[in-house]
Amino acid sequence: MSSSSGPVRHMVFCRFREEVTPPQRLAFFEQIRRLAEIPGIAFTNFQCGPNVSPEGYGMQFGDGFMMDFANRDACFMYLAHSTRHAIVARLIEALDGGMHGLLVVDINLENHEKPSRTTRPVLHQHRNARSPRAAQPHD
């Protein structure tokens, strides 16, 4: 993470072993969500679930979760907590390849600008400008 003191989004992507069922996967994520109930750990906007992207670029990371922290210090408090370490140790045992089945990305949210109002109409016009032939695979 950079030296920013603004909000941070912590994203974790998991490649579970085949035998780990969807309910077992969600149980890990629920344990992580409940960490917010511990004094000293504070995050918001917790989201979790399976990867539903149709693009096929997920590198077999089939599930994930994310949460937002007010700043880097709040994120570090979460990362350093012993209960989190215990949950992550069990999570890693359930992943295909252990730690290689885990991808973690943290981004500073203050660095991201919202698009201007003129962006949406331009994208909408572009979508409407495509001919039906352009959407079909090439021969």
Side-chain angles (χ1 to χ4, degrees), residues 15-18 60 92-102:
R15 185 173 35 231
F16 282 99
R17 291 190 334 255
E18 199 173 293
Q60 299 177 346
I92 288 171
E93 290 175 4
L95 298 178
D96 184 19
M99 288 191 67
H100 295 288
L102 194 63

Side-chain angles (χ1 to χ4, degrees), residues 10-47:
H10 179 71
M11 299 174 287
V12 178
F13 306 99
C14 303
R15 185 173 35 231
F16 282 99
R17 291 190 334 255
E18 199 173 293
E19 64 270 16
V20 180
T21 66
Q24 291 170 322
R25 297 169 189 201
L26 287 175
F28 279 113
F29 299 154
E30 177 62 15
Q31 290 173 14
I32 293 165
R33 184 197 64 77
R34 293 195 62 180
L35 288 170
E37 299 170 7
I38 297 174
I41 295 182
F43 56 80
T44 61
N45 195 31
F46 182 85
Q47 302 288 322

Side-chain angles (χ1 to χ4, degrees), residues 7-131:
V8 173
R9 177 158 295 153
H10 179 71
M11 299 174 287
V12 178
F13 306 99
C14 303
R15 185 173 35 231
F16 282 99
R17 291 190 334 255
E18 199 173 293
E19 64 270 16
V20 180
T21 66
Q24 291 170 322
R25 297 169 189 201
L26 287 175
F28 279 113
F29 299 154
E30 177 62 15
Q31 290 173 14
I32 293 165
R33 184 197 64 77
R34 293 195 62 180
L35 288 170
E37 299 170 7
I38 297 174
I41 295 182
F43 56 80
T44 61
N45 195 31
F46 182 85
Q47 302 288 322
C48 68
N51 179 356
V52 296
S53 173
E55 294 181 292
Y57 300 127
M59 298 173 31
Q60 299 177 346
F61 288 95
D63 299 88
F65 65 91
M66 64 167 227
M67 69 267 278
D68 295 340
F69 294 92
N71 53 47
R72 289 179 58 196
D73 289 342
C75 185
F76 290 149
M77 291 292 291
Y78 159 80
L79 293 173
H81 200 277
S82 60
T83 304
R84 180 208 156 263
H85 283 281
I87 294 168
V88 170
R90 290 190 307 273
L91 174 66
I92 288 171
E93 290 175 4
L95 298 178
D96 184 19
M99 288 191 67
H100 295 288
L102 194 63
L103 175 64
V104 179
V105 177
D106 292 338
I107 60 172
N108 291 318
L109 295 179
E110 70 182 13
N111 295 335
H112 300 279
E113 296 179 25
K114 294 185 177 177
S116 68
R117 290 194 169 269
T118 59
T119 302
R120 187 170 293 281
V122 170
L123 290 175
H124 183 69
Q125 289 171 0
H126 175 70
R127 239 180 283 147
N128 290 339
R130 293 189 347 198
S131 71

